[in-house]
Every structure is written in structure tokens, then in C-alpha cells.
Amino acid sequence: MVTKNIRAVTYVPPDYHKKLRQYMKRHNLTESAALVQMIKQFFDGEQPQFNSELKTEVEEIVQEQLKLFKEDIDLLKDQMSLMQQLLDKKNSSETNRRSSNSVNSNHPRSLLRLTPKTEEELTRRLGVNTGNVAKEFSKGAEHFSHWSQQKDPSGIGWHRRGDGLYYPV
């Protein structure tokens, strides 16, 4: 085979050789092509060309993460709206109390009703790894309520009902 490229011979530690083989397999490259790509990336800052299957997989992961972020943003918007309602209600009740000395019978916490959550939703809310919710629940309802309260951004404890959903305490 005739080529203008210069031959380079090297010895590679076994752990790096294993990583090189994994890289070659993942990108469907020969050893020579993989090394050339790595050298180009190192010296020229060129990014490797991903095969279409890997590119599709990465795009799917990014889309799923974006979907989760959008859900979190929607939840935050809902919570901000509820807090604004509470603030408006508090300001209104203080104004009414000053003017008429009447007591407001509507408790502000009634506006903060949280919807039941699936295990996946509660995992995201508590900011824990997948599987932690089920693991902690298996330690008992009282333990779970206390544990979830410590993890919840609003300090709310949670419990699971027979329907498999988690409800605020």
C-alpha cells in the first residue's frame, strides 16, 4: 500500500490499548485511523467525526434531558405562581385585617397542594439517584417520610399509598 503518511511505531501500556480498542470499536475505525484522529484532535483541536448511530444516540439523550429540564421549569413556574398567590393573599388579608380586624379563614397552605408523584417524578424532585426512593421506602414509612422531608426542596415529607404514587404528608 502506497501512502504519503509516515509510519510511526510505538508501545502502548495495556490499559490504554484497551481504551484505544474500545474507541476504535465505538467509532468503527481501524487502529491507524483512530490514532490519526486522536493526533489531529490533540494538535489541531479537530473534533472526531461520529458515526450516524452514535450521533443519533447522543441526540436522543440530549432530547430526553431537555424534556426533563422543561418539566422542571414548568414545575418551578407553577410553584412561583402559587407563591405569588400566597403573597397576594397574605397582603390582601393584612390589608383587610387592618381595615376591619377580621380573621381570614382560608389557610394559605391550602394553595400549596402538591399533586401525587410517580417514583421517577419524586426522584427528580428530591434530587437523588434512580433507585434511592424505593430503597429508602423499603426501610419503613416513618423513615421514608423523615428522609424525604430532608431531601425535599420545600421540606415536605412524602408517603406512598396503595396506588403506588407518592403523596405529600
Side-chain angles (χ1 to χ4, degrees), residues 6 105 121 140 147 160:
I6 298 171
S105 63
E121 292 168 333
W147 175 82
R160 188 170 79 186

Side-chain angles (χ1 to χ4, degrees), residues 12 19 22 24 29 31 34 56 63-64 68 73-74 81 91 104 107 126 130 138 144-145 155 158 165-166:
V12 181
K19 290 178 182 181
Q22 291 169 346
M24 290 166 48
L29 297 171
E31 187 173 276
T56 302
Q63 289 302 319
E64 181 62 30
L68 293 174
I73 288 170
D74 289 342
S81 174
N91 289 340
N104 188 354
H107 195 278
L126 301 180
T130 304
S138 70
F144 183 76
S145 178
W158 294 81
L165 296 176
Y166 294 85

Side-chain angles (χ1 to χ4, degrees), residues 90-157:
K90 181 180 179 192
N91 289 340
S92 171
S93 69
E94 284 178 5
T95 303
N96 289 342
R97 193 175 340 149
R98 282 188 213 130
S99 63
S100 66
N101 284 336
S102 66
V103 176
N104 188 354
S105 63
N106 292 331
H107 195 278
R109 289 191 81 170
S110 64
L111 292 175
L112 282 177
R113 289 206 170 90
L114 292 170
T115 58
K117 307 262 181 245
T118 64
E119 186 173 317
E120 181 181 325
E121 292 168 333
L122 188 59
T123 296
R124 278 197 311 271
R125 179 178 173 87
L126 301 180
V128 297
N129 294 329
T130 304
N132 281 16
V133 169
K135 178 181 147 193
E136 295 298 326
F137 181 77
S138 70
K139 296 178 181 178
E142 189 175 323
H143 167 80
F144 183 76
S145 178
H146 178 71
W147 175 82
S148 60
Q149 184 176 15
Q150 298 296 317
K151 297 289 184 182
D152 190 273
S154 300
I156 296 170

